[in-house]
Amino acid sequence: MNLAGLILRAAGWHVNITVPPYPRSVICVAPHTSNWDFVLGKLAYASVGRKAGFLMKESWFFFPLGYFFRAMGGIPVPRKGKNGSLVNLMVEKFKASKSLSIAITPEGTRKITKDWHTGFLQVAWQAGVPILLGAIDFPSKTISIEHTFIPTGDTDNDMREIKNITAGSAASIPTNFPPIDS
């Protein structure tokens, strides 16, 4: 067991990652209501010997944190509309890389929201990569990635299916993760 696994085990967390190690994938992680989701997710993926980058608000990439986040695989996300389409940027990154996994939180915020962003679906569909569905369940202290989802291009139906699969997890701040409407 590596250091990441030891840290999680010492804190009482369990990791259940059963999907294959795809060379390229989008990892959709929900719920996301706390900065601890990021720490736990990075540790869980590292505990099984895998690496994944992540998207994070551009404002977090100030000196010296910017160097640290980039070294961990961080990709700064500019404010809406600034520097063109994030979907196009991510599709180009996937097309240019033989090995790339990016974790994305579909809520796009730690605050309460019922509206999930669809960009991760568009990226996966346009880049031709699978979506791995990850969940962090705080009551059971379980971090899991057990489902591979292949997007169909039907955003509404794909989102409904993804929300149904991820609906069973309880967030660290439950009031910020409302019940999912099918």
mmCIF file of all heavy atoms in Angstrom, residues 6 13 19 39 41 56 58 60 73 85-86 95 99-100 103 109-110 117 122 125-127 139-140 150 157:
data_model
loop_
_atom_site.group_PDB
_atom_site.id
_atom_site.type_symbol
_atom_site.label_atom_id
_atom_site.label_comp_id
_atom_site.label_asym_id
_atom_site.label_seq_id
_atom_site.Cartn_x
_atom_site.Cartn_y
_atom_site.Cartn_z
ATOM 1 N N LEU A 6 -2.321 4.638 2.797
ATOM 2 C CA LEU A 6 -2.106 4.610 4.251
ATOM 3 C C LEU A 6 -2.795 5.787 4.943
ATOM 4 O O LEU A 6 -3.389 5.622 6.006
ATOM 5 C CB LEU A 6 -0.609 4.610 4.567
ATOM 6 C CG LEU A 6 0.143 3.329 4.230
ATOM 7 C CD1 LEU A 6 1.650 3.527 4.405
ATOM 8 C CD2 LEU A 6 -0.349 2.176 5.094
ATOM 9 N N TRP A 13 -11.087 5.806 5.891
ATOM 10 C CA TRP A 13 -11.726 5.823 4.578
ATOM 11 C C TRP A 13 -11.466 4.524 3.831
ATOM 12 O O TRP A 13 -10.433 3.888 4.002
ATOM 13 C CB TRP A 13 -11.223 7.006 3.748
ATOM 14 C CG TRP A 13 -11.847 8.283 4.190
ATOM 15 C CD1 TRP A 13 -11.415 9.108 5.202
ATOM 16 C CD2 TRP A 13 -13.031 8.877 3.684
ATOM 17 N NE1 TRP A 13 -12.257 10.174 5.333
ATOM 18 C CE2 TRP A 13 -13.263 10.062 4.408
ATOM 19 C CE3 TRP A 13 -13.925 8.525 2.675
ATOM 20 C CZ2 TRP A 13 -14.342 10.896 4.154
ATOM 21 C CZ3 TRP A 13 -14.999 9.359 2.416
ATOM 22 C CH2 TRP A 13 -15.200 10.531 3.156
ATOM 23 N N VAL A 19 -13.198 0.415 -11.970
ATOM 24 C CA VAL A 19 -13.154 0.648 -13.414
ATOM 25 C C VAL A 19 -11.731 0.416 -13.921
ATOM 26 O O VAL A 19 -10.760 0.584 -13.177
ATOM 27 C CB VAL A 19 -13.629 2.070 -13.792
ATOM 28 C CG1 VAL A 19 -15.083 2.279 -13.423
ATOM 29 C CG2 VAL A 19 -12.749 3.119 -13.149
ATOM 30 N N VAL A 39 -9.201 16.836 -1.812
ATOM 31 C CA VAL A 39 -8.109 16.127 -1.126
ATOM 32 C C VAL A 39 -8.382 14.631 -1.108
ATOM 33 O O VAL A 39 -7.512 13.819 -1.465
ATOM 34 C CB VAL A 39 -7.932 16.673 0.314
ATOM 35 C CG1 VAL A 39 -6.917 15.853 1.086
ATOM 36 C CG2 VAL A 39 -7.552 18.147 0.291
ATOM 37 N N GLY A 41 -10.404 12.852 -3.027
ATOM 38 C CA GLY A 41 -10.404 12.306 -4.378
ATOM 39 C C GLY A 41 -8.999 12.085 -4.912
ATOM 40 O O GLY A 41 -8.701 11.035 -5.502
ATOM 41 N N MET A 56 -9.798 23.780 -11.816
ATOM 42 C CA MET A 56 -9.958 24.596 -10.615
ATOM 43 C C MET A 56 -10.010 26.063 -11.028
ATOM 44 O O MET A 56 -9.393 26.454 -12.011
ATOM 45 C CB MET A 56 -8.776 24.354 -9.667
ATOM 46 C CG MET A 56 -8.864 25.078 -8.353
ATOM 47 S SD MET A 56 -7.394 24.747 -7.334
ATOM 48 C CE MET A 56 -8.033 23.474 -6.293
ATOM 49 N N GLU A 58 -9.377 29.698 -11.755
ATOM 50 C CA GLU A 58 -8.131 30.389 -12.071
ATOM 51 C C GLU A 58 -7.606 31.206 -10.879
ATOM 52 O O GLU A 58 -6.397 31.310 -10.666
ATOM 53 C CB GLU A 58 -8.406 31.304 -13.273
ATOM 54 C CG GLU A 58 -7.269 32.125 -13.757
ATOM 55 C CD GLU A 58 -7.688 32.952 -14.962
ATOM 56 O OE1 GLU A 58 -8.641 33.762 -14.849
ATOM 57 O OE2 GLU A 58 -7.074 32.769 -16.013
ATOM 58 N N TRP A 60 -7.345 30.501 -7.881
ATOM 59 C CA TRP A 60 -6.542 29.716 -6.937
ATOM 60 C C TRP A 60 -5.094 29.559 -7.392
ATOM 61 O O TRP A 60 -4.243 29.103 -6.629
ATOM 62 C CB TRP A 60 -7.156 28.330 -6.743
ATOM 63 C CG TRP A 60 -8.313 28.330 -5.819
ATOM 64 C CD1 TRP A 60 -9.621 28.508 -6.131
ATOM 65 C CD2 TRP A 60 -8.273 28.153 -4.400
ATOM 66 N NE1 TRP A 60 -10.402 28.441 -5.008
ATOM 67 C CE2 TRP A 60 -9.588 28.226 -3.927
ATOM 68 C CE3 TRP A 60 -7.250 27.934 -3.481
ATOM 69 C CZ2 TRP A 60 -9.907 28.096 -2.597
ATOM 70 C CZ3 TRP A 60 -7.568 27.798 -2.147
ATOM 71 C CH2 TRP A 60 -8.879 27.883 -1.714
ATOM 72 N N GLY A 73 -1.327 18.524 -11.494
ATOM 73 C CA GLY A 73 -2.201 18.288 -12.645
ATOM 74 C C GLY A 73 -3.319 19.288 -12.785
ATOM 75 O O GLY A 73 -4.259 19.078 -13.557
ATOM 76 N N SER A 85 -13.684 28.969 -25.320
ATOM 77 C CA SER A 85 -14.466 27.860 -24.788
ATOM 78 C C SER A 85 -13.609 26.865 -24.009
ATOM 79 O O SER A 85 -12.638 26.315 -24.537
ATOM 80 C CB SER A 85 -15.165 27.142 -25.941
ATOM 81 O OG SER A 85 -15.645 25.891 -25.535
ATOM 82 N N LEU A 86 -13.991 26.606 -22.772
ATOM 83 C CA LEU A 86 -13.297 25.610 -21.956
ATOM 84 C C LEU A 86 -13.494 24.215 -22.543
ATOM 85 O O LEU A 86 -12.579 23.397 -22.534
ATOM 86 C CB LEU A 86 -13.799 25.666 -20.511
ATOM 87 C CG LEU A 86 -13.146 24.696 -19.536
ATOM 88 C CD1 LEU A 86 -11.637 24.918 -19.445
ATOM 89 C CD2 LEU A 86 -13.783 24.826 -18.159
ATOM 90 N N LYS A 95 -7.289 15.349 -27.400
ATOM 91 C CA LYS A 95 -6.868 14.896 -28.730
ATOM 92 C C LYS A 95 -5.353 14.913 -28.881
ATOM 93 O O LYS A 95 -4.794 14.123 -29.637
ATOM 94 C CB LYS A 95 -7.548 15.744 -29.801
ATOM 95 C CG LYS A 95 -9.027 15.425 -29.939
ATOM 96 C CD LYS A 95 -9.688 16.188 -31.056
ATOM 97 C CE LYS A 95 -11.148 15.752 -31.177
ATOM 98 N NZ LYS A 95 -11.833 16.444 -32.266
ATOM 99 N N SER A 99 -2.363 9.983 -22.980
ATOM 100 C CA SER A 99 -2.704 9.630 -21.602
ATOM 101 C C SER A 99 -3.145 10.888 -20.856
ATOM 102 O O SER A 99 -2.340 11.774 -20.606
ATOM 103 C CB SER A 99 -1.481 9.013 -20.915
ATOM 104 O OG SER A 99 -1.766 8.727 -19.571
ATOM 105 N N LEU A 100 -4.441 10.949 -20.528
ATOM 106 C CA LEU A 100 -4.965 12.107 -19.820
ATOM 107 C C LEU A 100 -6.272 11.740 -19.137
ATOM 108 O O LEU A 100 -7.201 11.262 -19.772
ATOM 109 C CB LEU A 100 -5.215 13.267 -20.793
ATOM 110 C CG LEU A 100 -5.800 14.556 -20.205
ATOM 111 C CD1 LEU A 100 -4.831 15.185 -19.205
ATOM 112 C CD2 LEU A 100 -6.130 15.544 -21.323
ATOM 113 N N ALA A 103 -10.403 15.050 -13.592
ATOM 114 C CA ALA A 103 -11.539 15.004 -12.672
ATOM 115 C C ALA A 103 -12.297 16.327 -12.754
ATOM 116 O O ALA A 103 -11.692 17.398 -12.723
ATOM 117 C CB ALA A 103 -11.057 14.753 -11.251
ATOM 118 N N THR A 109 -19.484 24.085 -8.344
ATOM 119 C CA THR A 109 -19.447 24.914 -7.145
ATOM 120 C C THR A 109 -19.629 24.016 -5.925
ATOM 121 O O THR A 109 -20.131 22.898 -6.044
ATOM 122 C CB THR A 109 -20.571 25.983 -7.169
ATOM 123 O OG1 THR A 109 -20.481 26.799 -5.989
ATOM 124 C CG2 THR A 109 -21.960 25.332 -7.224
ATOM 125 N N ARG A 110 -19.214 24.535 -4.770
ATOM 126 C CA ARG A 110 -19.471 23.801 -3.521
ATOM 127 C C ARG A 110 -20.794 24.230 -2.904
ATOM 128 O O ARG A 110 -21.276 23.629 -1.963
ATOM 129 C CB ARG A 110 -18.324 24.046 -2.527
ATOM 130 C CG ARG A 110 -17.010 23.448 -2.990
ATOM 131 C CD ARG A 110 -15.872 23.742 -2.025
ATOM 132 N NE ARG A 110 -15.754 25.136 -1.653
ATOM 133 C CZ ARG A 110 -15.069 26.047 -2.326
ATOM 134 N NH1 ARG A 110 -14.444 25.737 -3.429
ATOM 135 N NH2 ARG A 110 -14.989 27.285 -1.900
ATOM 136 N N HIS A 117 -23.441 21.493 -14.650
ATOM 137 C CA HIS A 117 -22.874 21.923 -15.923
ATOM 138 C C HIS A 117 -22.764 20.716 -16.853
ATOM 139 O O HIS A 117 -22.497 19.606 -16.415
ATOM 140 C CB HIS A 117 -21.492 22.542 -15.700
ATOM 141 C CG HIS A 117 -21.518 23.786 -14.884
ATOM 142 N ND1 HIS A 117 -21.586 25.034 -15.450
ATOM 143 C CD2 HIS A 117 -21.492 23.977 -13.549
ATOM 144 C CE1 HIS A 117 -21.600 25.946 -14.484
ATOM 145 N NE2 HIS A 117 -21.550 25.326 -13.327
ATOM 146 N N GLN A 122 -19.932 17.184 -22.871
ATOM 147 C CA GLN A 122 -19.516 17.637 -24.199
ATOM 148 C C GLN A 122 -18.050 17.290 -24.464
ATOM 149 O O GLN A 122 -17.699 16.853 -25.566
ATOM 150 C CB GLN A 122 -19.742 19.151 -24.338
ATOM 151 C CG GLN A 122 -21.183 19.567 -24.240
ATOM 152 C CD GLN A 122 -22.051 18.876 -25.275
ATOM 153 O OE1 GLN A 122 -21.686 18.760 -26.443
ATOM 154 N NE2 GLN A 122 -23.198 18.385 -24.848
ATOM 155 N N TRP A 125 -17.814 13.459 -25.033
ATOM 156 C CA TRP A 125 -18.436 13.100 -26.313
ATOM 157 C C TRP A 125 -17.543 13.527 -27.489
ATOM 158 O O TRP A 125 -17.244 12.729 -28.367
ATOM 159 C CB TRP A 125 -19.818 13.746 -26.405
ATOM 160 C CG TRP A 125 -20.469 13.651 -27.747
ATOM 161 C CD1 TRP A 125 -20.715 14.682 -28.603
ATOM 162 C CD2 TRP A 125 -20.958 12.488 -28.406
ATOM 163 N NE1 TRP A 125 -21.330 14.235 -29.741
ATOM 164 C CE2 TRP A 125 -21.490 12.880 -29.643
ATOM 165 C CE3 TRP A 125 -21.006 11.148 -28.059
ATOM 166 C CZ2 TRP A 125 -22.050 11.984 -30.541
ATOM 167 C CZ3 TRP A 125 -21.575 10.250 -28.960
ATOM 168 C CH2 TRP A 125 -22.082 10.668 -30.185
ATOM 169 N N GLN A 126 -17.108 14.787 -27.478
ATOM 170 C CA GLN A 126 -16.323 15.308 -28.597
ATOM 171 C C GLN A 126 -14.921 14.704 -28.664
ATOM 172 O O GLN A 126 -14.365 14.529 -29.750
ATOM 173 C CB GLN A 126 -16.239 16.826 -28.526
ATOM 174 C CG GLN A 126 -17.562 17.511 -28.790
ATOM 175 C CD GLN A 126 -17.480 19.014 -28.645
ATOM 176 O OE1 GLN A 126 -16.468 19.624 -28.985
ATOM 177 N NE2 GLN A 126 -18.541 19.631 -28.134
ATOM 178 N N ALA A 127 -14.348 14.368 -27.513
ATOM 179 C CA ALA A 127 -13.004 13.785 -27.483
ATOM 180 C C ALA A 127 -13.036 12.268 -27.637
ATOM 181 O O ALA A 127 -11.997 11.638 -27.812
ATOM 182 C CB ALA A 127 -12.302 14.164 -26.182
ATOM 183 N N PRO A 139 -20.915 9.591 5.086
ATOM 184 C CA PRO A 139 -21.346 8.746 6.206
ATOM 185 C C PRO A 139 -20.639 7.382 6.253
ATOM 186 O O PRO A 139 -20.271 6.906 7.321
ATOM 187 C CB PRO A 139 -22.849 8.576 5.983
ATOM 188 C CG PRO A 139 -23.251 9.772 5.202
ATOM 189 C CD PRO A 139 -22.073 10.067 4.312
ATOM 190 N N SER A 140 -20.433 6.764 5.081
ATOM 191 C CA SER A 140 -19.774 5.461 5.061
ATOM 192 C C SER A 140 -18.264 5.573 4.885
ATOM 193 O O SER A 140 -17.560 4.564 4.921
ATOM 194 C CB SER A 140 -20.339 4.592 3.931
ATOM 195 O OG SER A 140 -19.970 5.126 2.671
ATOM 196 N N ILE A 150 -20.468 5.831 -21.213
ATOM 197 C CA ILE A 150 -20.104 6.266 -22.562
ATOM 198 C C ILE A 150 -21.185 7.248 -23.032
ATOM 199 O O ILE A 150 -22.345 6.868 -23.195
ATOM 200 C CB ILE A 150 -20.017 5.068 -23.539
ATOM 201 C CG1 ILE A 150 -19.075 3.990 -23.004
ATOM 202 C CG2 ILE A 150 -19.612 5.542 -24.935
ATOM 203 C CD1 ILE A 150 -17.641 4.424 -22.786
ATOM 204 N N ASN A 157 -30.556 13.237 -21.777
ATOM 205 C CA ASN A 157 -30.695 11.847 -21.355
ATOM 206 C C ASN A 157 -29.433 11.358 -20.638
ATOM 207 O O ASN A 157 -29.504 10.684 -19.610
ATOM 208 C CB ASN A 157 -31.005 10.942 -22.554
ATOM 209 C CG ASN A 157 -31.374 9.543 -22.111
ATOM 210 O OD1 ASN A 157 -32.254 9.368 -21.268
ATOM 211 N ND2 ASN A 157 -30.699 8.556 -22.655
#
